[in-house]
Amino acid sequence: MVAADNLQKTPQEATFNLLAYLKERQKICEAALDKAIPIIYPEKIYESMRYSLLAGGKRLRPILCLATCEMMGGTIEMAMPAACAVEMIHTMSLIHDDLPAMDNDDYRRGKLTNHKIYGDAVAILAGDGLLAYAFEMVATQTPDSVPKDRVLQVVARLGRALGAAGLVGGQVVDLDSEGKLDISLETLTFIHNHKTAALLEACVVCGGIIAGASPEDVQRLTRYSQNIGLAFQIVDDILDITATTEQLGKSAGKDLTAKKVTYPSLWGIEESRTKAQQLIEAACAELKPFGKPAQPLEAIAHFITSRNN
Amino acid sequence: MVAADNLQKTPQEATFNLLAYLKERQKICEAALDKAIPIIYPEKIYESMRYSLLAGGKRLRPILCLATCEMMGGTIEMAMPAACAVEMIHTMSLIHDDLPAMDNDDYRRGKLTNHKIYGDAVAILAGDGLLAYAFEMVATQTPDSVPKDRVLQVVARLGRALGAAGLVGGQVVDLDSEGKLDISLETLTFIHNHKTAALLEACVVCGGIIAGASPEDVQRLTRYSQNIGLAFQIVDDILDITATTEQLGKSAGKDLTAKKVTYPSLWGIEESRTKAQQLIEAACAELKPFGKPAQPLEAIAHFITSRNN
């Protein structure tokens, strides 16, 4: 939920109803994801993939992908396969991260985690299956109106965002850092740039590429997404301390229990909030040249610091 | 190792030195794989990916991909990124399948399995990382001489061969079947068509697509690869009974211990051998229209039934 005062921060934002926008976009993303993976034999693996993929969530990543494509003059249809793909990749990273061998989490989005329902083996395979389908979907479902070289750029960026240079690399360093109290700001930033910002960047930049963004535009979109990515993580760390388990839909206070170094543990909560706000402002500055069509991306940036789950 | 009499089965084969061919191709595949994943920070994940990717093996899958591309008039350079990708996907499936949550294997290719060295968490992530890099590599490293729509078809086929409609689906049914003695031939065939044949098919067909194979050629390549895929699995089942752990480089007699239904358990060893031989002959019949350039694919097909590891 977004507090009303955050939606009316600037005159420009006041004219844009973010809540209604997000709700409508969530709905079309849910419908596309639901359609993407029908249940066939062997049912269990499809059910397991769908269990996590359709477990709700803000759908921020696909919405960012669609919004950027539209801002750059493309259509929702052009970006929908890529939007579904980023959500599948995100979901696979959650399923694998929650495994007993990793973060060992029992709850996610207020529901039992995938392996608690289907067992570790199927959960691992469900992640692999989602990942495979993400690439297949981009390659086969992106409409012909998108030139093939752009689609290949999307495949390349999704692969990079997901692999050792992205999510996977971030999670390895994160696991290594657990229980260590002497983690540097540099390491912490590496973790979050890879675990969170890399995929957010891919969402935004792929949306732009699909619509034919110029190299200069891609640079702007990259800076926008890196800034919101880091802000997103700082807010996540703050929420882990200040929010309840009920609000988060996952265990609160996890970082403290796991003795994780976080931004608030390095900077304090107030300083972390200020920093997040500055990052959001820097992100929005990158959008200025795009004018009014940038409204959704601006509002989403502000939403990131104002959210409470 | 290939017995000499198998190499001289027909006059045509006698003119082709398969052992020398495989050895040379293994060498260039090893070099390409070695170059594909350099070690950077965080070193552990790259080391873990390389540990399994460079652990030897016959490199049959990338060799099939390169050989098919050449047979259809393409070059090794055109198909090398796809060839590396199939080996990465194959390696990731081995890493994940060996995990304690799955088949719980301690040895693979005569070496400790990935999770025995790096732990379960890193092994899961190394698989994810290899998978991500497989797609990134095809998308970014395939030379410009290959039209982009062909590269996208390769991405799509790799995704399909890997996902719930391929490897992942096969592994789910395989896990479900363990310990059950009433598995039907239909279920057994589903498992192997998905766990083994799907990726072999992708190797062969992707090699063809990269070189510009016609839809009719793709049909022939599909039938060739499905036949060798099933033969490959039948021979694997036979070797599990007849070969030693030393020959296999992995635990022998596993299927019996796990009370797995296999082709030899359904048909007996002799009947299984005959069936594998028939499949190889059917596979080679599909190659007839391609003439002499089909020699490597023919010889590889015969090699599959004659191998002892």
Side-chain angles (χ1 to χ4, degrees), chain A residues 41 44 46 96 101 121 125 128 131-132 135-136 140 156 159-160 164 168 176, chain B residues 44 46 96 101 121 125 128 131-132 135-136 140 156 159 162 164 168 173 176:
Chain A
Y41 178 81
K44 198 198 280 178
Y46 294 96
H96 283 187
L125 291 167
D128 296 346
L131 214 157
F135 291 101
E136 187 186 347
T140 61
R160 194 169 169 79
V168 163
D176 245 9
Chain B
K44 196 198 281 177
Y46 294 96
H96 283 187
L125 291 168
D128 296 347
L131 214 157
F135 291 100
E136 188 186 347
T140 61
L162 158 66
V168 164
V173 178
D176 244 8

PDB file of all heavy atoms in Angstrom, chain A residues 41 44 46 96 101 121 125 128 131-132 135-136 140 156 159-160 164 168 176, chain B residues 44 46 96 101 121 125 128 131-132 135-136 140 156 159 162 164 168 173 176:
ATOM      1  N   TYR A  41       1.153 -33.014 -18.278  1.00  0.00           N
ATOM      2  CA  TYR A  41       1.958 -34.068 -17.662  1.00  0.00           C
ATOM      3  C   TYR A  41       3.437 -33.730 -17.800  1.00  0.00           C
ATOM      4  O   TYR A  41       3.834 -33.286 -18.868  1.00  0.00           O
ATOM      5  CB  TYR A  41       1.668 -35.406 -18.349  1.00  0.00           C
ATOM      6  CG  TYR A  41       2.497 -36.554 -17.815  1.00  0.00           C
ATOM      7  CD1 TYR A  41       2.142 -37.207 -16.643  1.00  0.00           C
ATOM      8  CD2 TYR A  41       3.664 -36.960 -18.475  1.00  0.00           C
ATOM      9  CE1 TYR A  41       2.910 -38.242 -16.132  1.00  0.00           C
ATOM     10  CE2 TYR A  41       4.432 -37.998 -17.973  1.00  0.00           C
ATOM     11  CZ  TYR A  41       4.058 -38.635 -16.797  1.00  0.00           C
ATOM     12  OH  TYR A  41       4.823 -39.638 -16.302  1.00  0.00           O
ATOM     13  N   LYS A  44       3.079 -32.308 -11.596  1.00  0.00           N
ATOM     14  CA  LYS A  44       3.704 -31.800 -10.372  1.00  0.00           C
ATOM     15  C   LYS A  44       4.684 -30.653 -10.636  1.00  0.00           C
ATOM     16  O   LYS A  44       4.717 -29.673  -9.907  1.00  0.00           O
ATOM     17  CB  LYS A  44       4.449 -32.946  -9.672  1.00  0.00           C
ATOM     18  CG  LYS A  44       4.748 -32.632  -8.221  1.00  0.00           C
ATOM     19  CD  LYS A  44       5.847 -33.525  -7.655  1.00  0.00           C
ATOM     20  CE  LYS A  44       5.321 -34.891  -7.270  1.00  0.00           C
ATOM     21  NZ  LYS A  44       6.395 -35.775  -6.757  1.00  0.00           N
ATOM     22  N   TYR A  46       4.748 -28.547 -13.216  1.00  0.00           N
ATOM     23  CA  TYR A  46       4.043 -27.336 -13.653  1.00  0.00           C
ATOM     24  C   TYR A  46       3.313 -26.690 -12.473  1.00  0.00           C
ATOM     25  O   TYR A  46       3.262 -25.477 -12.334  1.00  0.00           O
ATOM     26  CB  TYR A  46       3.080 -27.658 -14.793  1.00  0.00           C
ATOM     27  CG  TYR A  46       3.795 -28.087 -16.055  1.00  0.00           C
ATOM     28  CD1 TYR A  46       3.987 -29.429 -16.362  1.00  0.00           C
ATOM     29  CD2 TYR A  46       4.314 -27.136 -16.928  1.00  0.00           C
ATOM     30  CE1 TYR A  46       4.663 -29.822 -17.507  1.00  0.00           C
ATOM     31  CE2 TYR A  46       4.998 -27.519 -18.080  1.00  0.00           C
ATOM     32  CZ  TYR A  46       5.170 -28.867 -18.355  1.00  0.00           C
ATOM     33  OH  TYR A  46       5.846 -29.245 -19.480  1.00  0.00           O
ATOM     34  N   HIS A  96      15.062 -20.869  -5.268  1.00  0.00           N
ATOM     35  CA  HIS A  96      16.375 -21.433  -4.941  1.00  0.00           C
ATOM     36  C   HIS A  96      16.955 -20.802  -3.667  1.00  0.00           C
ATOM     37  O   HIS A  96      17.532 -21.505  -2.838  1.00  0.00           O
ATOM     38  CB  HIS A  96      17.331 -21.289  -6.130  1.00  0.00           C
ATOM     39  CG  HIS A  96      17.083 -22.300  -7.218  1.00  0.00           C
ATOM     40  ND1 HIS A  96      17.896 -22.448  -8.316  1.00  0.00           N
ATOM     41  CD2 HIS A  96      16.102 -23.234  -7.377  1.00  0.00           C
ATOM     42  CE1 HIS A  96      17.430 -23.422  -9.094  1.00  0.00           C
ATOM     43  NE2 HIS A  96      16.331 -23.894  -8.547  1.00  0.00           N
ATOM     44  N   ALA A 101      19.355 -25.526   1.786  1.00  0.00           N
ATOM     45  CA  ALA A 101      20.793 -25.407   1.514  1.00  0.00           C
ATOM     46  C   ALA A 101      21.234 -23.950   1.416  1.00  0.00           C
ATOM     47  O   ALA A 101      22.419 -23.652   1.520  1.00  0.00           O
ATOM     48  CB  ALA A 101      21.150 -26.136   0.224  1.00  0.00           C
ATOM     49  N   ALA A 121      13.761 -31.397  -4.058  1.00  0.00           N
ATOM     50  CA  ALA A 121      14.114 -31.804  -5.426  1.00  0.00           C
ATOM     51  C   ALA A 121      13.238 -31.084  -6.444  1.00  0.00           C
ATOM     52  O   ALA A 121      13.738 -30.478  -7.398  1.00  0.00           O
ATOM     53  CB  ALA A 121      13.972 -33.322  -5.584  1.00  0.00           C
ATOM     54  N   LEU A 125      14.099 -28.163  -9.314  1.00  0.00           N
ATOM     55  CA  LEU A 125      13.717 -28.353 -10.720  1.00  0.00           C
ATOM     56  C   LEU A 125      12.716 -27.296 -11.188  1.00  0.00           C
ATOM     57  O   LEU A 125      12.755 -26.870 -12.347  1.00  0.00           O
ATOM     58  CB  LEU A 125      13.151 -29.759 -10.923  1.00  0.00           C
ATOM     59  CG  LEU A 125      14.182 -30.882 -10.785  1.00  0.00           C
ATOM     60  CD1 LEU A 125      13.494 -32.237 -10.683  1.00  0.00           C
ATOM     61  CD2 LEU A 125      15.163 -30.867 -11.952  1.00  0.00           C
ATOM     62  N   ASP A 128      14.743 -24.370 -12.130  1.00  0.00           N
ATOM     63  CA  ASP A 128      15.396 -24.614 -13.423  1.00  0.00           C
ATOM     64  C   ASP A 128      14.388 -24.489 -14.566  1.00  0.00           C
ATOM     65  O   ASP A 128      14.693 -23.927 -15.627  1.00  0.00           O
ATOM     66  CB  ASP A 128      16.014 -26.018 -13.464  1.00  0.00           C
ATOM     67  CG  ASP A 128      17.130 -26.200 -12.444  1.00  0.00           C
ATOM     68  OD1 ASP A 128      17.610 -25.185 -11.893  1.00  0.00           O
ATOM     69  OD2 ASP A 128      17.531 -27.357 -12.201  1.00  0.00           O
ATOM     70  N   LEU A 131      13.431 -20.896 -15.278  1.00  0.00           N
ATOM     71  CA  LEU A 131      14.541 -20.227 -15.928  1.00  0.00           C
ATOM     72  C   LEU A 131      14.601 -20.584 -17.414  1.00  0.00           C
ATOM     73  O   LEU A 131      14.766 -19.716 -18.281  1.00  0.00           O
ATOM     74  CB  LEU A 131      15.788 -20.737 -15.219  1.00  0.00           C
ATOM     75  CG  LEU A 131      16.909 -19.769 -15.086  1.00  0.00           C
ATOM     76  CD1 LEU A 131      17.757 -20.210 -13.922  1.00  0.00           C
ATOM     77  CD2 LEU A 131      17.640 -19.842 -16.360  1.00  0.00           C
ATOM     78  N   ALA A 132      14.444 -21.867 -17.693  1.00  0.00           N
ATOM     79  CA  ALA A 132      14.456 -22.315 -19.091  1.00  0.00           C
ATOM     80  C   ALA A 132      13.311 -21.667 -19.854  1.00  0.00           C
ATOM     81  O   ALA A 132      13.470 -21.191 -20.984  1.00  0.00           O
ATOM     82  CB  ALA A 132      14.334 -23.838 -19.147  1.00  0.00           C
ATOM     83  N   PHE A 135      13.706 -17.929 -21.048  1.00  0.00           N
ATOM     84  CA  PHE A 135      14.422 -17.702 -22.304  1.00  0.00           C
ATOM     85  C   PHE A 135      13.615 -18.185 -23.513  1.00  0.00           C
ATOM     86  O   PHE A 135      13.559 -17.516 -24.551  1.00  0.00           O
ATOM     87  CB  PHE A 135      15.789 -18.390 -22.256  1.00  0.00           C
ATOM     88  CG  PHE A 135      16.729 -17.733 -21.287  1.00  0.00           C
ATOM     89  CD1 PHE A 135      16.962 -18.269 -20.025  1.00  0.00           C
ATOM     90  CD2 PHE A 135      17.368 -16.552 -21.622  1.00  0.00           C
ATOM     91  CE1 PHE A 135      17.817 -17.648 -19.131  1.00  0.00           C
ATOM     92  CE2 PHE A 135      18.227 -15.921 -20.734  1.00  0.00           C
ATOM     93  CZ  PHE A 135      18.455 -16.472 -19.477  1.00  0.00           C
ATOM     94  N   GLU A 136      12.988 -19.340 -23.345  1.00  0.00           N
ATOM     95  CA  GLU A 136      12.171 -19.866 -24.447  1.00  0.00           C
ATOM     96  C   GLU A 136      11.059 -18.878 -24.805  1.00  0.00           C
ATOM     97  O   GLU A 136      10.783 -18.614 -25.973  1.00  0.00           O
ATOM     98  CB  GLU A 136      11.570 -21.227 -24.053  1.00  0.00           C
ATOM     99  CG  GLU A 136      10.858 -21.921 -25.207  1.00  0.00           C
ATOM    100  CD  GLU A 136      10.142 -23.198 -24.762  1.00  0.00           C
ATOM    101  OE1 GLU A 136      10.388 -23.679 -23.634  1.00  0.00           O
ATOM    102  OE2 GLU A 136       9.325 -23.704 -25.553  1.00  0.00           O
ATOM    103  N   THR A 140      10.437 -17.158 -28.387  1.00  0.00           N
ATOM    104  CA  THR A 140       9.339 -17.636 -29.244  1.00  0.00           C
ATOM    105  C   THR A 140       8.100 -16.743 -29.232  1.00  0.00           C
ATOM    106  O   THR A 140       7.327 -16.777 -30.176  1.00  0.00           O
ATOM    107  CB  THR A 140       8.872 -19.065 -28.836  1.00  0.00           C
ATOM    108  OG1 THR A 140       8.396 -19.034 -27.486  1.00  0.00           O
ATOM    109  CG2 THR A 140      10.005 -20.074 -28.951  1.00  0.00           C
ATOM    110  N   ALA A 156      20.514 -11.863 -24.062  1.00  0.00           N
ATOM    111  CA  ALA A 156      21.864 -11.683 -23.515  1.00  0.00           C
ATOM    112  C   ALA A 156      21.830 -10.963 -22.172  1.00  0.00           C
ATOM    113  O   ALA A 156      22.501 -11.355 -21.212  1.00  0.00           O
ATOM    114  CB  ALA A 156      22.721 -10.896 -24.508  1.00  0.00           C
ATOM    115  N   GLY A 159      20.376 -13.195 -19.425  1.00  0.00           N
ATOM    116  CA  GLY A 159      21.370 -14.188 -19.024  1.00  0.00           C
ATOM    117  C   GLY A 159      22.406 -13.574 -18.092  1.00  0.00           C
ATOM    118  O   GLY A 159      22.758 -14.153 -17.058  1.00  0.00           O
ATOM    119  N   ARG A 160      22.859 -12.391 -18.449  1.00  0.00           N
ATOM    120  CA  ARG A 160      23.886 -11.728 -17.648  1.00  0.00           C
ATOM    121  C   ARG A 160      23.351 -11.334 -16.261  1.00  0.00           C
ATOM    122  O   ARG A 160      24.025 -11.496 -15.253  1.00  0.00           O
ATOM    123  CB  ARG A 160      24.373 -10.484 -18.399  1.00  0.00           C
ATOM    124  CG  ARG A 160      25.647  -9.922 -17.845  1.00  0.00           C
ATOM    125  CD  ARG A 160      26.280  -8.860 -18.711  1.00  0.00           C
ATOM    126  NE  ARG A 160      27.338  -8.239 -17.935  1.00  0.00           N
ATOM    127  CZ  ARG A 160      28.547  -8.786 -17.761  1.00  0.00           C
ATOM    128  NH1 ARG A 160      28.843  -9.919 -18.335  1.00  0.00           N
ATOM    129  NH2 ARG A 160      29.433  -8.180 -16.987  1.00  0.00           N
ATOM    130  N   ALA A 164      26.483 -15.523 -12.980  1.00  0.00           N
ATOM    131  CA  ALA A 164      27.517 -15.212 -11.998  1.00  0.00           C
ATOM    132  C   ALA A 164      27.838 -13.723 -11.979  1.00  0.00           C
ATOM    133  O   ALA A 164      28.312 -13.186 -10.971  1.00  0.00           O
ATOM    134  CB  ALA A 164      28.770 -16.029 -12.290  1.00  0.00           C
ATOM    135  N   VAL A 168      23.302 -14.687  -9.337  1.00  0.00           N
ATOM    136  CA  VAL A 168      24.043 -15.824  -8.794  1.00  0.00           C
ATOM    137  C   VAL A 168      25.305 -15.347  -8.062  1.00  0.00           C
ATOM    138  O   VAL A 168      25.593 -15.797  -6.950  1.00  0.00           O
ATOM    139  CB  VAL A 168      24.396 -16.821  -9.927  1.00  0.00           C
ATOM    140  CG1 VAL A 168      25.498 -17.783  -9.506  1.00  0.00           C
ATOM    141  CG2 VAL A 168      23.152 -17.594 -10.356  1.00  0.00           C
ATOM    142  N   ASP A 176      28.323 -16.090   1.711  1.00  0.00           N
ATOM    143  CA  ASP A 176      29.660 -16.034   2.302  1.00  0.00           C
ATOM    144  C   ASP A 176      29.749 -15.010   3.434  1.00  0.00           C
ATOM    145  O   ASP A 176      30.574 -15.135   4.334  1.00  0.00           O
ATOM    146  CB  ASP A 176      30.670 -15.617   1.228  1.00  0.00           C
ATOM    147  CG  ASP A 176      31.649 -16.732   0.942  1.00  0.00           C
ATOM    148  OD1 ASP A 176      31.424 -17.851   1.442  1.00  0.00           O
ATOM    149  OD2 ASP A 176      32.628 -16.483   0.215  1.00  0.00           O
TER     150      ASP A 176
ATOM    151  N   LYS B  44      34.798 -18.155  -6.081  1.00  0.00           N
ATOM    152  CA  LYS B  44      34.255 -19.471  -5.725  1.00  0.00           C
ATOM    153  C   LYS B  44      33.199 -19.968  -6.727  1.00  0.00           C
ATOM    154  O   LYS B  44      33.183 -21.144  -7.088  1.00  0.00           O
ATOM    155  CB  LYS B  44      33.633 -19.406  -4.322  1.00  0.00           C
ATOM    156  CG  LYS B  44      33.408 -20.777  -3.726  1.00  0.00           C
ATOM    157  CD  LYS B  44      32.432 -20.750  -2.568  1.00  0.00           C
ATOM    158  CE  LYS B  44      33.055 -20.268  -1.274  1.00  0.00           C
ATOM    159  NZ  LYS B  44      32.056 -20.196  -0.183  1.00  0.00           N
ATOM    160  N   TYR B  46      32.827 -19.120  -9.910  1.00  0.00           N
ATOM    161  CA  TYR B  46      33.440 -19.441 -11.213  1.00  0.00           C
ATOM    162  C   TYR B  46      34.244 -20.737 -11.118  1.00  0.00           C
ATOM    163  O   TYR B  46      34.252 -21.552 -12.030  1.00  0.00           O
ATOM    164  CB  TYR B  46      34.312 -18.281 -11.698  1.00  0.00           C
ATOM    165  CG  TYR B  46      33.510 -17.045 -12.020  1.00  0.00           C
ATOM    166  CD1 TYR B  46      33.354 -16.018 -11.094  1.00  0.00           C
ATOM    167  CD2 TYR B  46      32.868 -16.914 -13.251  1.00  0.00           C
ATOM    168  CE1 TYR B  46      32.598 -14.886 -11.384  1.00  0.00           C
ATOM    169  CE2 TYR B  46      32.108 -15.793 -13.547  1.00  0.00           C
ATOM    170  CZ  TYR B  46      31.982 -14.776 -12.609  1.00  0.00           C
ATOM    171  OH  TYR B  46      31.216 -13.675 -12.896  1.00  0.00           O
ATOM    172  N   HIS B  96      22.909 -30.486 -10.648  1.00  0.00           N
ATOM    173  CA  HIS B  96      21.656 -30.478  -9.882  1.00  0.00           C
ATOM    174  C   HIS B  96      21.161 -31.903  -9.596  1.00  0.00           C
ATOM    175  O   HIS B  96      20.690 -32.186  -8.495  1.00  0.00           O
ATOM    176  CB  HIS B  96      20.595 -29.645 -10.603  1.00  0.00           C
ATOM    177  CG  HIS B  96      20.790 -28.160 -10.439  1.00  0.00           C
ATOM    178  ND1 HIS B  96      19.897 -27.217 -10.880  1.00  0.00           N
ATOM    179  CD2 HIS B  96      21.789 -27.453  -9.855  1.00  0.00           C
ATOM    180  CE1 HIS B  96      20.334 -25.998 -10.586  1.00  0.00           C
ATOM    181  NE2 HIS B  96      21.486 -26.118  -9.977  1.00  0.00           N
ATOM    182  N   ALA B 101      19.451 -33.678  -2.393  1.00  0.00           N
ATOM    183  CA  ALA B 101      17.992 -33.594  -2.520  1.00  0.00           C
ATOM    184  C   ALA B 101      17.480 -34.393  -3.722  1.00  0.00           C
ATOM    185  O   ALA B 101      16.291 -34.699  -3.805  1.00  0.00           O
ATOM    186  CB  ALA B 101      17.556 -32.135  -2.649  1.00  0.00           C
ATOM    187  N   ALA B 121      24.779 -25.274  -1.516  1.00  0.00           N
ATOM    188  CA  ALA B 121      24.328 -23.949  -1.943  1.00  0.00           C
ATOM    189  C   ALA B 121      25.082 -23.501  -3.193  1.00  0.00           C
ATOM    190  O   ALA B 121      24.476 -23.097  -4.194  1.00  0.00           O
ATOM    191  CB  ALA B 121      24.523 -22.932  -0.814  1.00  0.00           C
ATOM    192  N   LEU B 125      23.839 -22.916  -7.151  1.00  0.00           N
ATOM    193  CA  LEU B 125      24.099 -21.651  -7.844  1.00  0.00           C
ATOM    194  C   LEU B 125      25.006 -21.837  -9.060  1.00  0.00           C
ATOM    195  O   LEU B 125      24.855 -21.145 -10.069  1.00  0.00           O
ATOM    196  CB  LEU B 125      24.718 -20.635  -6.866  1.00  0.00           C
ATOM    197  CG  LEU B 125      23.755 -20.141  -5.780  1.00  0.00           C
ATOM    198  CD1 LEU B 125      24.499 -19.394  -4.689  1.00  0.00           C
ATOM    199  CD2 LEU B 125      22.674 -19.246  -6.399  1.00  0.00           C
ATOM    200  N   ASP B 128      22.777 -22.882 -11.808  1.00  0.00           N
ATOM    201  CA  ASP B 128      22.033 -21.717 -12.302  1.00  0.00           C
ATOM    202  C   ASP B 128      22.933 -20.823 -13.152  1.00  0.00           C
ATOM    203  O   ASP B 128      22.513 -20.301 -14.197  1.00  0.00           O
ATOM    204  CB  ASP B 128      21.480 -20.893 -11.124  1.00  0.00           C
ATOM    205  CG  ASP B 128      20.456 -21.666 -10.297  1.00  0.00           C
ATOM    206  OD1 ASP B 128      19.981 -22.723 -10.757  1.00  0.00           O
ATOM    207  OD2 ASP B 128      20.134 -21.204  -9.183  1.00  0.00           O
ATOM    208  N   LEU B 131      23.662 -22.292 -16.566  1.00  0.00           N
ATOM    209  CA  LEU B 131      22.473 -22.200 -17.380  1.00  0.00           C
ATOM    210  C   LEU B 131      22.303 -20.788 -17.948  1.00  0.00           C
ATOM    211  O   LEU B 131      22.035 -20.602 -19.140  1.00  0.00           O
ATOM    212  CB  LEU B 131      21.317 -22.537 -16.451  1.00  0.00           C
ATOM    213  CG  LEU B 131      20.170 -23.267 -17.044  1.00  0.00           C
ATOM    214  CD1 LEU B 131      19.434 -23.988 -15.947  1.00  0.00           C
ATOM    215  CD2 LEU B 131      19.319 -22.253 -17.704  1.00  0.00           C
ATOM    216  N   ALA B 132      22.485 -19.811 -17.084  1.00  0.00           N
ATOM    217  CA  ALA B 132      22.373 -18.417 -17.526  1.00  0.00           C
ATOM    218  C   ALA B 132      23.426 -18.120 -18.588  1.00  0.00           C
ATOM    219  O   ALA B 132      23.138 -17.492 -19.614  1.00  0.00           O
ATOM    220  CB  ALA B 132      22.566 -17.483 -16.325  1.00  0.00           C
ATOM    221  N   PHE B 135      22.768 -19.358 -22.281  1.00  0.00           N
ATOM    222  CA  PHE B 135      21.937 -18.503 -23.129  1.00  0.00           C
ATOM    223  C   PHE B 135      22.659 -17.214 -23.510  1.00  0.00           C
ATOM    224  O   PHE B 135      22.584 -16.760 -24.650  1.00  0.00           O
ATOM    225  CB  PHE B 135      20.609 -18.203 -22.428  1.00  0.00           C
ATOM    226  CG  PHE B 135      19.731 -19.412 -22.319  1.00  0.00           C
ATOM    227  CD1 PHE B 135      19.643 -20.143 -21.140  1.00  0.00           C
ATOM    228  CD2 PHE B 135      19.009 -19.848 -23.420  1.00  0.00           C
ATOM    229  CE1 PHE B 135      18.848 -21.269 -21.051  1.00  0.00           C
ATOM    230  CE2 PHE B 135      18.207 -20.975 -23.341  1.00  0.00           C
ATOM    231  CZ  PHE B 135      18.126 -21.690 -22.153  1.00  0.00           C
ATOM    232  N   GLU B 136      23.352 -16.636 -22.530  1.00  0.00           N
ATOM    233  CA  GLU B 136      24.085 -15.399 -22.809  1.00  0.00           C
ATOM    234  C   GLU B 136      25.110 -15.640 -23.913  1.00  0.00           C
ATOM    235  O   GLU B 136      25.274 -14.831 -24.829  1.00  0.00           O
ATOM    236  CB  GLU B 136      24.777 -14.916 -21.528  1.00  0.00           C
ATOM    237  CG  GLU B 136      25.407 -13.537 -21.696  1.00  0.00           C
ATOM    238  CD  GLU B 136      26.219 -13.114 -20.475  1.00  0.00           C
ATOM    239  OE1 GLU B 136      26.102 -13.754 -19.404  1.00  0.00           O
ATOM    240  OE2 GLU B 136      26.984 -12.146 -20.611  1.00  0.00           O
ATOM    241  N   THR B 140      25.360 -13.723 -27.431  1.00  0.00           N
ATOM    242  CA  THR B 140      26.396 -12.704 -27.632  1.00  0.00           C
ATOM    243  C   THR B 140      27.583 -13.181 -28.463  1.00  0.00           C
ATOM    244  O   THR B 140      28.277 -12.354 -29.040  1.00  0.00           O
ATOM    245  CB  THR B 140      26.949 -12.178 -26.277  1.00  0.00           C
ATOM    246  OG1 THR B 140      27.540 -13.282 -25.567  1.00  0.00           O
ATOM    247  CG2 THR B 140      25.869 -11.546 -25.428  1.00  0.00           C
ATOM    248  N   ALA B 156      15.471 -20.765 -28.355  1.00  0.00           N
ATOM    249  CA  ALA B 156      14.168 -21.368 -28.070  1.00  0.00           C
ATOM    250  C   ALA B 156      14.291 -22.881 -27.875  1.00  0.00           C
ATOM    251  O   ALA B 156      13.728 -23.449 -26.943  1.00  0.00           O
ATOM    252  CB  ALA B 156      13.192 -21.062 -29.213  1.00  0.00           C
ATOM    253  N   GLY B 159      16.058 -23.739 -24.612  1.00  0.00           N
ATOM    254  CA  GLY B 159      15.153 -23.529 -23.489  1.00  0.00           C
ATOM    255  C   GLY B 159      14.172 -24.683 -23.352  1.00  0.00           C
ATOM    256  O   GLY B 159      13.939 -25.202 -22.257  1.00  0.00           O
ATOM    257  N   LEU B 162      15.688 -27.979 -22.118  1.00  0.00           N
ATOM    258  CA  LEU B 162      16.124 -27.905 -20.729  1.00  0.00           C
ATOM    259  C   LEU B 162      14.956 -27.914 -19.753  1.00  0.00           C
ATOM    260  O   LEU B 162      15.074 -28.452 -18.647  1.00  0.00           O
ATOM    261  CB  LEU B 162      16.915 -26.598 -20.572  1.00  0.00           C
ATOM    262  CG  LEU B 162      17.055 -25.993 -19.200  1.00  0.00           C
ATOM    263  CD1 LEU B 162      17.894 -26.921 -18.342  1.00  0.00           C
ATOM    264  CD2 LEU B 162      17.721 -24.636 -19.301  1.00  0.00           C
ATOM    265  N   ALA B 164      10.642 -27.880 -18.449  1.00  0.00           N
ATOM    266  CA  ALA B 164       9.680 -28.902 -18.045  1.00  0.00           C
ATOM    267  C   ALA B 164       9.288 -29.797 -19.217  1.00  0.00           C
ATOM    268  O   ALA B 164       8.878 -30.940 -19.020  1.00  0.00           O
ATOM    269  CB  ALA B 164       8.440 -28.240 -17.439  1.00  0.00           C
ATOM    270  N   VAL B 168      14.085 -31.173 -17.299  1.00  0.00           N
ATOM    271  CA  VAL B 168      13.434 -30.981 -15.995  1.00  0.00           C
ATOM    272  C   VAL B 168      12.229 -31.907 -15.849  1.00  0.00           C
ATOM    273  O   VAL B 168      12.057 -32.569 -14.813  1.00  0.00           O
ATOM    274  CB  VAL B 168      13.035 -29.497 -15.807  1.00  0.00           C
ATOM    275  CG1 VAL B 168      12.024 -29.322 -14.686  1.00  0.00           C
ATOM    276  CG2 VAL B 168      14.275 -28.644 -15.544  1.00  0.00           C
ATOM    277  N   VAL B 173       9.776 -37.009 -13.406  1.00  0.00           N
ATOM    278  CA  VAL B 173       9.141 -38.326 -13.528  1.00  0.00           C
ATOM    279  C   VAL B 173      10.106 -39.409 -13.048  1.00  0.00           C
ATOM    280  O   VAL B 173       9.703 -40.375 -12.395  1.00  0.00           O
ATOM    281  CB  VAL B 173       8.684 -38.576 -14.986  1.00  0.00           C
ATOM    282  CG1 VAL B 173       8.069 -39.960 -15.125  1.00  0.00           C
ATOM    283  CG2 VAL B 173       7.681 -37.518 -15.413  1.00  0.00           C
ATOM    284  N   ASP B 176      10.099 -39.544  -9.330  1.00  0.00           N
ATOM    285  CA  ASP B 176       8.820 -40.109  -8.912  1.00  0.00           C
ATOM    286  C   ASP B 176       8.783 -41.626  -9.080  1.00  0.00           C
ATOM    287  O   ASP B 176       8.046 -42.326  -8.384  1.00  0.00           O
ATOM    288  CB  ASP B 176       7.694 -39.526  -9.785  1.00  0.00           C
ATOM    289  CG  ASP B 176       6.729 -38.709  -8.955  1.00  0.00           C
ATOM    290  OD1 ASP B 176       7.020 -38.478  -7.761  1.00  0.00           O
ATOM    291  OD2 ASP B 176       5.690 -38.300  -9.492  1.00  0.00           O
TER     292      ASP B 176
END
